[in-house]
Structure formats: structure tokens, C-alpha cells
Amino acid sequence: MDKELLLMIPGPIQPEQEVMAAMGAPVRAHYGPEWTELYNQTTAILKRLFNTQGDVFLMVGSGSCALDGCLGSAFSAGEKVLIGYNGFFGERLKAIAEGYGLNPILVDAEWGKPLNPTDFEAALQKHSDAKGICVVHLETSTTIINPIEEIGKIARNYGVCFMVDAVSSLGGLPMSMDDWNIDLCASASQKCLGAPPGLAPVAIGKHGWEWIDRNPSKGHGWYTNLRTWRKYADEWADWHPFPITMATNNVLALKASLDNLLREGVEYRMERYRSLALRLRDGLRKIGMPPFTPDQMMSPVLTAAFGPEGVPTSEIVTYLAEKHHIKIAGGLGALKNKIIRIGHMAPTVSKEDIDRVLDALSQFKP
Ligand SMILES: Cc1ncc(COP(=O)(O)O)c(C=O)c1O
């Protein structure tokens, strides 16, 4: 591996050394009281981050696995769900919903603008038979943070299930599942949680099980069916509280990362990310690559910027990788070749790394 490579994409991130050491620890059995205690300690920290009194499971898979589990468990074929669509990952929610034969109704906003809560209210008035609202928290393709709390109030007023994709936000942005009326929430290990890819935490809030239990089709399949995960968490609680062979090293790594996060302090960490974002945005303006969003809409863990006029941004991404050993990302979907995206959602990212990116970008000549 190129030791000099600076990984600044919006996940996966470069984990801390002790996290990678845990990944490389001897493989152990995935059951027994000692292992179960460790697993439970990990999910307990995640409950604090989700801010829920509900349940958290660690699905073995990527973030989409947890999203799949939420949508497939709570709704059945033919049911209407409102899907917030203002970027590539809103589209992903729609694709998963379609995969389950649901009837997705898009509530859209321009890519680069947040979703408007009143649009959900209007859509619920029009589709009074809709069963749920599904929204991405931090839309990684545009860096836009959607107004989850406000949309959650509408979901509660209209009595529909509220599901949130927190794949790129959990651990980096405030999350308050129970207070924001979120019933189901999905995340992933490889972004703000600071671990390698491989685990997909899923949280079922105060009323989440009511939605899953009322689902007439009893959820789809077995692996991603959250009822399966609940059954083992209940019936095998003392020795094997999950249905499958757990990815033990990934859990050890995630726990090491979460322990570090608690040691640093969640609020302190978030503040640190915010100041890195401000430093980056300031530098980008100085080199003529203005941020894609205004500062009031700033994402603390991920920044998008325009490149020089008329230059496809893939050229900048390639230049940084080839000449400076820095890996950043380009735009996705409608924003392909229009923006660059720089991830700073890892505890390992320092001010010096931000300056190294800025220095490299300033040397780019179209
Ligand atoms: C907001 C969001 N949702 C979903 C996904 C898909 O996650 P995964 O690639 O881990 O399946 C991503 C990945 O970048 C994401 O950023």
C-alpha cells in the first residue's frame, strides 16, 4: 500500500492505528459470554450516538444492507412510501423500495438544496394512504444536510413510519433518534464511525417495532429481515445475540474507534470537524474553487467545491491522485464532473491534511 496516500473521500476513511490493530487481532469465536459482552458494549455506545432507548443491531454488510433491512422489514409490496429525493442516495432509497415492490412517491428538491418539510406535508395530504417517509440525513452526493427533525414532526403528526439514512452522518453530525421521531435508522462503519467497511449498524426506535410488527407481509427474506435479528437478540441473548457469524474483527475495530470517540468527546470531535471544514472552505475560496454550498448549509464532515470554469472535475481528482497521492472524490449523478468532494469525516484527518489538499489543489493547472 502507498504509505503516503492521503484518503480524503467521503468514506471509506483511514481509520486510526489502534482500529487497524484490532482488525488484525487473532480471530476469535463469535459467541460465548465474553464475546457477547463485547458486542453489547459496542451496541450500547451506538445507542448513545443514535440517541435511542430502542434496539441496535450490527448487520454484517455495508450501509445499503441496513437500509434494505429497514425498508423490507417495515413495509410490504404495494405500500406507498414518500422518499426524499435531492441526490444520489435518495435515488438509492427509491431503488431499494422498488426492489421490495413498494410504491415510492418522490418528494424532491434540487440537488444542492435541502428537502422542504412542507413538501412532505403536502404529499401526505395528497397520498393519505402513504405508510412512511424515508429520508437521507447527510446526502453524501451533494453534502446537503436534510431537516430531519422537522420532517420527523410531520411524520409523527400524520402517523407514518419515519426512516432515516444516517450512513454518512452518524458519529459526525448530531443525531437524536427518539426526540426526532425516527422509527428506523441505518448507518455504516466506514464513515464518521471511523472503522473499516463491513458493518451496518441499524437502530429501531421507540415505535419502530410497531411498524415492523404491523407489516402484513412479515418482512421479506431472512438475512435482512429485522425480525430475524430480534429473534436471536431475544432468544440467544446470553451467548449469541445475532443470527449469523458475526464479523468479529470488524466489531473489535468499530469498538476501538468508538472508544476513541468517547475518549475525545462526541461534541469535541464534532467541533473539531467543523473547524476543519471552515479551514478548508476558507482555503478553497482563496484558490478560486468556491464551496458548493453556503456556509450556513455547511456539512462539517464533507465539503464539495466547484472547479475552475469549464474544467471537468474528474481532471482535478486524477491530478491529485497521480501527482500528490491524495484521493478525493468527484461528483455523482447530476453533479458528475461539476464538483469535487473532499471527505474529512475521519478522526485521523488533521489541519495539516487539509492544508496538503489545498496546496495540491492550488497547483492544479487546467
Ligand atoms: C448517504 C448514503 N447512503 C447510502 C450509502 C450506501 O452505503 P454503502 O456503500 O455502505 O452500502 C452511502 C454511501 O456512500 C451514503 O453516503
Side-chain angles (χ1 to χ4, degrees):
M1 200 182 112
D2 181 352
K3 283 207 169 63
E4 291 298 311
L5 180 83
L6 179 59
L7 192 58
M8 299 282 286
I9 59 176
I13 54 84
Q14 190 61 63
E16 295 154 300
Q17 259 175 10
E18 52 273 49
V19 176
M20 291 316 290
M23 253 341 250
V27 173
R28 52 199 290 173
H30 64 288
Y31 50 79
E34 205 185 310
W35 173 259
T36 299
E37 190 183 338
L38 220 139
Y39 175 85
N40 288 340
Q41 285 168 354
T42 312
T43 54
I45 303 174
L46 288 165
K47 278 186 207 178
R48 280 175 65 179
L49 294 183
F50 278 111
N51 254 308
T52 184
Q53 301 290 324
D55 294 319
V56 169
F57 303 132
L58 283 176
M59 300 182 92
V60 178
S62 77
S64 305
C65 173
L67 295 170
D68 196 297
C70 292
L71 276 157
S73 302
F75 308 109
S76 67
E79 287 185 338
K80 278 186 190 166
V81 285
L82 306 184
I83 304 223
Y85 175 66
N86 58 344
F88 183 85
F89 291 105
E91 204 163 290
R92 170 74 51 93
L93 290 179
K94 174 176 174 267
I96 298 173
E98 283 170 347
Y100 281 111
L102 312 186
N103 182 1
I105 310 286
L106 294 186
V107 176
D108 55 359
E110 199 182 315
W111 286 39
K113 295 273 179 320
L115 295 166
N116 185 346
T118 57
D119 291 344
F120 286 89
E121 187 148 29
L124 285 169
Q125 280 163 6
K126 188 163 168 209
H127 301 278
S128 56
D129 52 343
K131 294 284 184 274
I133 297 180
C134 306
V135 171
V136 179
H137 187 193
L138 168 57
E139 179 43 86
T140 321
S141 64
T142 61
T143 75
I144 286 293
I145 300 171
N146 282 314
I148 298 300
E149 186 175 2
E150 289 75 10
I151 299 172
K153 281 184 192 143
I154 291 165
R156 191 54 68 227
N157 286 345
Y158 283 77
V160 299
C161 178
F162 187 33
M163 192 208 122
V164 172
D165 167 345
V167 168
S168 59
S169 58
L170 190 73
L173 262 62
M175 162 57 67
S176 207
M177 233 186 121
D178 291 352
D179 287 347
W180 297 350
N181 299 308
I182 301 172
D183 298 308
L184 298 162
C185 194
S187 192
S189 52
Q190 76 273 15
K191 298 188 191 267
C192 303
L193 296 176
L199 291 175
V202 60
I204 296 92
K206 276 191 297 199
H207 301 288
W209 289 119
E210 292 164 25
W211 284 101
I212 293 170
D213 288 333
R214 67 94 232 173
N215 180 358
S217 72
K218 304 212 181 312
H220 301 249
W222 184 88
Y223 191 105
T224 59
N225 191 332
L226 294 175
R227 290 167 191 245
T228 310
W229 289 75
R230 176 175 58 181
K231 178 178 155 66
Y232 284 83
D234 289 348
E235 294 177 12
W236 288 9
D238 53 342
W239 75 290
H240 191 307
F242 32 77
I244 43 99
T245 304
M246 188 44 62
T248 45
N249 285 65
N250 288 71
V251 177
L252 292 174
L254 177 60
K255 176 153 189 310
S257 176
L258 294 176
D259 284 342
N260 280 349
L261 172 58
L262 293 189
R263 222 168 280 131
E264 180 173 349
V266 178
E267 279 178 17
Y268 186 89
R269 169 80 59 89
M270 290 180 185
E271 198 44 53
R272 181 154 72 85
Y273 287 158
R274 226 168 279 134
S275 73
L276 290 177
L278 287 169
R279 187 181 188 94
L280 178 57
R281 296 169 77 86
D282 190 39
L284 285 166
R285 283 191 186 99
K286 286 189 181 129
I287 59 174
M289 295 190 185
F292 178 63
T293 56
D295 283 353
Q296 316 83 273
M297 287 191 199
M298 167 183 112
S299 153
V301 295
L302 170 64
T303 301
F306 294 104
E309 189 77 35
V311 180
T313 49
S314 59
E315 288 182 18
I316 306 175
V317 174
T318 307
Y319 169 78
L320 254 64
E322 287 179 357
K323 298 283 186 247
H324 297 271
H325 306 284
I326 301 172
K327 191 107 180 114
I328 61 166
L332 287 175
L335 293 171
K336 190 169 169 21
N337 270 328
K338 299 206 164 74
I339 54 169
I340 51 170
R341 293 176 305 140
I342 302 160
H344 34 92
M345 50 178 67
T348 45
V349 174
S350 63
K351 281 187 211 158
E352 290 70 29
D353 294 332
I354 297 289
D355 293 347
R356 190 174 145 194
V357 173
L358 287 167
D359 183 49
L361 284 172
S362 70
Q363 293 176 49
F364 173 76
K365 299 274 174 300

